[in-house]
């Protein structure tokens, strides 16, 4: 069969050469010359090239019609059905024909889809913790809810966080906080894909190189922390919180990644394929820690602080969560009346408007709170016995109040270390309610009055705020119990030095500021009768450094 | 974001025709990777301009016009060094290609039969050569041929396929 012309033959040889070895400039020019002048060469050229293109297809070419169109397919907006991973329902794997129809278009989907078994495969990534989370797997119409608990492995494939917040830990140690609504997928021990939603990733030493991609942007972490916000409409905002990252558009055409430094942000737009700098200040703030915060329910009875009925997660207090009372609302919770009562949460925050009512069972009792935080909240001692001791740690994150309920001579002992926040020099207001004289058939003992005492049994070098004793007796019972603080004693407030020596930054009693230097108990008692109690000790006022 | 009926129509048309647009681009640009990229580029433009498209007219002709324009643009950006065919020759090739479209479609169908007629070894070899990312070199290694033998074998198989298609096409009545 040699019905080809010399021009066709030469063209064919040039085309073979071009396909497998490439043409030099002279050969290129020769080919162009043949095509311009010889119609039969042009026909052969077209047929031959067409044949190669057809062979590309037959050999499994993955022909994409573009990221944007593909993403529409991903969103399930296309007419032809695409293979989907629907293991929870045990749906049958879609027909091979439909896979073939869209295989080229969504080939990368197929690769990452789970095998068509009815069991869920799990990744090595784990759910560290979740708050009010609602999980779904699958896409489009074929989603089903799944239950995930702290410590559970995450399933393969697309996971939908429909509500709440979650912290995911990758095998590498990278921690990612997700805010609902979010759709994501674990892609290995140090990689993930965020289809949409907001995420913050913290990459520890040794896990650098963490990859988090979105439909619009690829990110490689070069260490520490960054945040992403991906929308279904094809925008991704990325911001470096700490350290640096590399960002790149997902299209192979833009192979040069861009380094993004701390506090810098960029926006990628998949629709027009752009990547531009934006002001990081304009981005809404990202969650950097999991809000393990649990809040006292509005309808809480307040009794038994560990009870599930009180907290908005409907769970008993647990050691991996932080508990909040107040936050601008008047809310109170009571400690149970037991010999020893321990709060089981990791921390208890008494915020503005919040009151922690300390009860005892009539004897010398202990209340233990691992981390008590007071930020414009109130501690209120409501004793039935003589004294109550509170242990654990207390942080004064803002001005707060300690209420000694009345002048019935009770003692609240703070056996905890007290700290003030580094940022705020908190004022602790100590006050005391006044018991009214009863005129009915009360016993005589009920009409005895004595100031109640706040006794500090622990040295507090970490407290740098201000003691403001408006009522009751403040009794620093060990040296250093007042910390590196200011002290004001006024109105009905009293101070019992407890026989110990204390050093303070400043002291003001009954409106008078004490001079720098040492003040003995006797001198103080003589100068401020009624305000100084006890039988010894000294106050030293430091010279203020400029 | 719901797709409009027009969006759906475009998706369908692109799904059906993307290999044909690719082949057209490949014929003009002579490079597989460039053709694949330009296909995406073309699809985006087709989408953007889809409001201008009259569904009663020929989608292929319209998309080829966009694709040809993309090729010329691309070559302009690439600069002189990489230009294979000048615009004038591109127009000649494009014009002839478009006239041949029905025939090329039939050739494609027949090609599958002709592939079946190849020996098993030849079929495996030629398909290995055209796999994504493959080259004559990789196909040679895969089949245990030395490279010069591979060049010869590829040329022989291509010619055989082309002749087989031409022969069978002539034997078939035109539609």
């Amino acid at each position: 069969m040699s019905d080809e012309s010399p021009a066709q033959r030469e063209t064919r040889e040039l085309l073979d050469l071009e396909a497998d070895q490439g043409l030099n400039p002279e050969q290129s020019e020769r080919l162009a010359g043949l095509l311009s002048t010889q119609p039969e060469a042009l026909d052969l050229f077209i047929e031959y090239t067409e044949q190669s293109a057809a062979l590309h297809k037959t050999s499994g070419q993955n022909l994409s019609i573009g990221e944007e169109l593909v993403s529409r397919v991903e969103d399930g907006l296309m007419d032809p059905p695409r293979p989907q991973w629907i293991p929870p329902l045990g749906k049958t794997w879609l027909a091979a024909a439909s896979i073939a129809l869209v295989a080229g278009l969504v080939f990368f989907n197929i690769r990452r889809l789970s095998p068509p078994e009815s069991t869920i495969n799990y990744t090595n990534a784990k759910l560290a913790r979740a708050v009010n989370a609602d999980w779904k797997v699958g896409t489009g119409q074929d989603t089903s809810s799944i239950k995930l608990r702290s410590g559970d492995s995450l399933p393969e494939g697309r996971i939908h966080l429909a509500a709440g917040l979650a912290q995911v830990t990758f095998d590498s140690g990278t921690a990612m906080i997700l805010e609902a609504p979010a759709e994501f997928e674990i892609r290995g021990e140090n990689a993930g894909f965020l289809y949409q939603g907001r995420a913050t990733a913290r990459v520890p030493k040794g896990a650098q190189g963490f990859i988090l991609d979105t439909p619009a942007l690829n990110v490689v972490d070069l260490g520490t922390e960054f945040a992403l916000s991906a929308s279904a409409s094809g925008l991704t905002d990325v911001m470096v919180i700490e350290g640096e990252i590399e960002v790149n558009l997902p299209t192979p055409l833009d192979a040069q990644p861009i380094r993004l430094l701390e506090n810098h942000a960029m926006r990628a737009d998949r629709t027009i394929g752009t990547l531009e700098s934006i002001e990081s200040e304009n981005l809404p703030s990202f969650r950097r820690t999991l809000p393990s915060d649990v809040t006292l329910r509005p309808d809480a009875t307040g009794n038994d602080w560990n009870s599930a009925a009180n907290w908005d997660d409907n769970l008993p207090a647990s050691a991996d969560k932080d508990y909040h009372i107040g936050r601008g609302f008047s809310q109170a919770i009571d400690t149970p009346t037991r010999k020893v009562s321990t709060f089981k949460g990791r921390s208890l925050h008494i915020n503005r408007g919040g009151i922690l009512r300390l009860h005892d069972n009539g004897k010398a009792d202990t209340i233990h709170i691992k981390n008590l935080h007071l930020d414009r909240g109130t501690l209120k001692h409501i004793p039935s016995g003589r004294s109550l001791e509170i242990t654990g740690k207390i942080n004064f994150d803002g001005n707060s109040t300690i209420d000694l309920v009345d002048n019935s001579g009770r003692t609240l002992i703070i056996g905890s270390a007290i700290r003030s926040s580094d940022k705020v020099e908190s004022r602790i207001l100590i006050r005391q309610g006044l018991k009214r004289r009863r005129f009915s058939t009360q016993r005589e003992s009920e009409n005895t009055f004595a100031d109640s005492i706040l006794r500090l049994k622990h040295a507090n070098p970490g407290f740098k705020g201000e003691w403001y004793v408006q009522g009751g007796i403040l009794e620093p019972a060990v040296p250093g119990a007042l910390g590196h603080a200011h002290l004001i004693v006024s109105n009905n407030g009293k101070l019992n030095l407890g026989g110990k020596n204390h050093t303070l930054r400043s002291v003001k009693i009954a409106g008078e500021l004490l001079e720098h230097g040492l003040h003995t108990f006797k001198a103080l008692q003589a100068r401020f009768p009624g305000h100084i109690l006890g039988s010894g000790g000294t106050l030293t006022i430091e010279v203020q450094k400029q | 974001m719901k797709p409009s009926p027009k969006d759906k129509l475009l998706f369908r048309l692109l799904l059906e025709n993307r290999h044909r647009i690719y082949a057209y681009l490949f014929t003009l640009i002579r490079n597989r990777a460039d053709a694949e990229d330009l296909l995406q580029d073309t699809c985006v433009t087709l989408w953007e301009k889809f409001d201008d498209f009259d569904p009663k007219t020929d989608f292929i002709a319209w998309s080829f016009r966009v694709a040809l324009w993309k090729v010329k643009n691309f070559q302009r950006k690439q600069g002189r060094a990489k230009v294979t065919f000048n615009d004038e020759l591109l127009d000649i090739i494009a014009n002839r290609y478009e006239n041949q479209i029905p025939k090329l479609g039939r050739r494609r169908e027949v090609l599958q039969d002709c592939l079946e007629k190849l020996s098993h070894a030849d079929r495996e070899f030629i398909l290995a050569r055209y796999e994504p990312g493959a080259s004559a070199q990789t196909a040679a290694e895969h089949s245990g041929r030395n490279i010069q033998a591979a060049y010869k074998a590829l040329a022989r198989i291509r010619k055989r396929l082309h002749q087989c298609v031409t022969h069978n096409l002539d034997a078939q009545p035109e539609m």
Side-chain angles (χ1 to χ4, degrees), chain A residues 122-310:
Chain A
Y122 289 94
T123 66
N124 285 332
K126 289 194 164 57
L127 176 66
R129 215 144 37 86
V131 178
N132 300 327
D134 179 14
W135 299 96
K136 289 185 167 65
V137 289
T139 48
Q141 302 284 309
D142 303 292
T143 57
S144 56
S145 290
I146 52 166
K147 288 256 178 280
L148 288 170
R149 290 186 187 170
S150 294
D152 280 357
S153 292
L154 291 169
E156 285 182 355
R158 211 189 258 224
I159 313 170
H160 185 194
L161 178 64
L165 299 132
Q167 181 178 336
V168 169
T169 309
F170 288 81
D171 214 15
S172 60
T174 297
M176 182 165 78
I177 308 275
L178 290 152
E179 297 176 45
E183 273 187 87
F184 69 103
E185 182 173 318
I186 305 296
R187 294 231 174 133
E189 69 158 27
N190 204 25
F193 193 96
L194 183 69
Y195 294 94
Q196 61 165 310
R198 292 161 62 78
T200 308
R202 181 153 193 93
V203 181
K205 273 209 177 91
Q208 290 98 332
F210 171 70
I211 293 169
L212 187 58
D213 293 343
T214 74
L217 190 70
N218 296 345
V219 176
V220 179
D221 186 286
L222 304 175
T224 63
E225 195 174 5
F226 69 95
L228 269 183
S229 169
S231 73
S233 63
L235 287 179
T236 293
D237 293 341
V238 61
M239 174 190 168
V240 182
I241 296 168
E242 213 183 311
E244 57 183 304
I245 61 172
E246 265 181 13
V247 296
N248 206 348
L249 293 171
T251 49
L253 282 173
D254 300 89
Q256 276 302 320
I258 297 168
R259 268 190 184 220
L260 201 57
L261 303 176
E262 203 158 306
N263 286 323
H264 284 69
M266 291 195 104
R267 171 167 296 164
D269 188 332
R270 186 185 59 202
T271 314
I272 48 178
T274 55
L275 186 58
E276 57 185 5
S277 288
I278 51 170
E279 292 294 322
S280 58
E281 294 85 47
N282 295 344
L283 291 174
S285 66
F286 290 91
R287 283 196 175 276
R288 299 178 59 187
T289 53
L290 193 77
S292 52
D293 300 2
V294 183
T295 304
L296 192 69
R297 289 160 58 133
D299 60 343
T301 62
N303 292 321
D304 190 355
W305 53 359
N306 289 316
S307 160
N310 283 320

Side-chain angles (χ1 to χ4, degrees), chain A residues 29-92:
Chain A
E29 207 158 305
R30 178 66 192 147
L31 178 62
L34 285 165
L35 300 182
S36 312
T37 57
Q38 312 284 327
E40 79 270 24
L42 181 58
D43 281 351
L44 182 108
F45 166 86
I46 289 172
E47 288 167 12
Y48 237 68
T49 312
E50 228 304 311
Q51 176 174 300
S52 291
L55 287 168
H56 288 156
K57 183 186 178 189
T58 305
S59 301
Q61 182 179 34
N62 299 313
L63 211 47
S64 170
I65 59 171
E67 279 298 315
E68 179 147 9
L69 300 181
V70 168
S71 72
R72 287 218 165 190
V73 175
E74 282 184 326
D75 293 342
L77 299 179
M78 284 291 297
D79 264 342
R82 68 180 183 86
Q84 284 178 328
W85 172 50
I86 317 146
L89 299 176
K91 267 211 173 185
T92 50

Side-chain angles (χ1 to χ4, degrees), chain A residues 384-454:
Chain A
S384 50
R386 299 304 306 173
S387 70
L388 176 68
E389 179 166 353
I390 180 165
T391 61
K393 276 185 237 146
I394 305 181
N395 294 279
F396 285 92
D397 300 332
N399 297 343
S400 302
T401 304
I402 297 178
D403 262 339
L404 303 170
V405 159
D406 57 25
N407 47 344
S408 51
R410 314 291 167 86
T411 304
L412 175 62
I413 301 165
I414 297 189
S416 320
I418 293 173
R419 292 185 58 86
S420 51
S421 107
D422 293 334
K423 288 175 190 156
V424 185
E425 293 201 343
S426 313
R427 165 187 281 189
I428 303 176
L429 174 64
I430 299 156
R431 51 185 199 184
Q432 173 187 252
L434 289 178
K435 186 164 72 174
R436 286 200 205 99
R437 186 177 288 276
R438 290 161 140 186
F439 293 102
S440 53
T441 59
Q442 79 271 24
R443 296 193 301 268
E444 185 59 24
S445 64
E446 285 186 63
N447 278 328
T448 56
F449 300 99
D451 285 308
S452 289
I453 299 161
L454 176 65

Side-chain angles (χ1 to χ4, degrees), chain A residues 1-4 9 12 15-16 18-21 28 31-32 35-36 39 42-69 72 75 77-80 101-105 232-233 251-253 271, chain B residues 1-4 7-8 11-12 14-15 18-19 22-23 26-27 30 32 36-37 39-40 43-44 47-48 84-85 89 92-93 96-97 100 103-104 107-108 111-112 115 126-132 136 148 151 154-155 157-159 161-167:
Chain A
M1 292 214 282
S2 91
D3 49 359
E4 64 180 9
R9 184 193 165 92
R12 186 170 53 73
L15 290 174
D16 279 325
E18 183 201 30
D20 296 328
Q21 300 171 69
S28 277
L31 178 62
L35 300 182
S36 312
L42 181 58
D43 281 351
L44 182 108
F45 166 86
I46 289 172
E47 288 167 12
Y48 237 68
T49 312
E50 228 304 311
Q51 176 174 300
S52 291
L55 287 168
H56 288 156
K57 183 186 178 189
T58 305
S59 301
Q61 182 179 34
N62 299 313
L63 211 47
S64 170
I65 59 171
E67 279 298 315
E68 179 147 9
L69 300 181
R72 287 218 165 190
D75 293 342
L77 299 179
M78 284 291 297
D79 264 342
L101 177 63
V102 293
L105 202 59
S233 63
T251 49
L253 282 173
T271 314
Chain B
M1 189 166 64
K2 279 266 166 202
S4 67
D7 278 345
K8 287 188 181 180
F11 295 144
R12 211 193 67 235
L14 287 177
L15 274 178
R18 66 189 195 276
H19 283 282
Y22 165 79
F26 180 70
T27 304
R30 317 301 302 160
R32 179 172 180 161
E36 288 179 355
D37 287 346
L39 174 68
Q40 296 201 15
C43 288
V44 170
W47 191 2
E48 286 165 359
T84 313
F85 301 139
L89 181 52
I92 292 171
I93 298 168
R96 182 68 188 159
Y97 191 103
Q100 300 276 55
K103 188 174 158 199
L104 291 172
R107 287 190 69 96
R108 237 174 216 243
L111 178 66
Q112 299 307 314
L115 270 171
I126 191 82
L127 291 179
R129 164 65 186 84
Y130 284 101
E131 274 176 14
Q148 291 305 326
Y151 293 149
L154 287 169
I157 299 167
R158 285 189 194 109
K159 185 179 176 188
L161 282 173
H162 180 253
Q163 287 177 337
C164 169
V165 170
T166 306
H167 179 78

